[in-house]
Amino acid sequence: DVGAKREIQRLISELVAKEREVGVLMVSSEMEEIIEGSNRIMIMRDGESVAFLDSRSVTHGQLMMYMASGAAPEATTDEEVE
């Protein structure tokens, strides 16, 4: 339920604000939740990490490509892919 998700996100934000040396592991398949609730994103596939991304610069397309194939999307002339 949406209200429960918001409450959990609020509690996590409060914890991080109070404790500067704390890490939070969030597992989700919802892109918006991942991007908005993280500063760093690690994508795992078949039990191995395939990407470490900065949530401030990652796109939905990049996330989907890593999640689906475990590989980086091909770069175009307009964008740089890490």
Side-chain angles (χ1 to χ4, degrees), residues 21-82:
E21 296 180 15
V22 67
V24 176
L25 174 65
M26 179 184 352
V27 178
S28 179
S29 61
E30 296 184 28
M31 303 262 192
E32 290 299 323
E33 187 174 55
I34 293 170
I35 293 171
E36 292 175 7
S38 307
N39 58 0
R40 290 181 289 167
I41 300 167
M42 179 179 74
I43 298 175
M44 295 187 71
R45 183 170 173 80
D46 298 325
E48 296 188 25
S49 61
V50 295
F52 288 90
L53 307 167
D54 184 332
S55 64
R56 295 171 296 186
S57 60
V58 71
T59 66
H60 286 230
Q62 289 170 326
L63 274 181
M64 287 174 53
M65 183 64 74
Y66 279 114
M67 290 167 70
S69 70
E74 292 185 27
T76 66
T77 55
D78 296 326
E79 66 180 351
E80 179 181 317
V81 178
E82 296 179 2

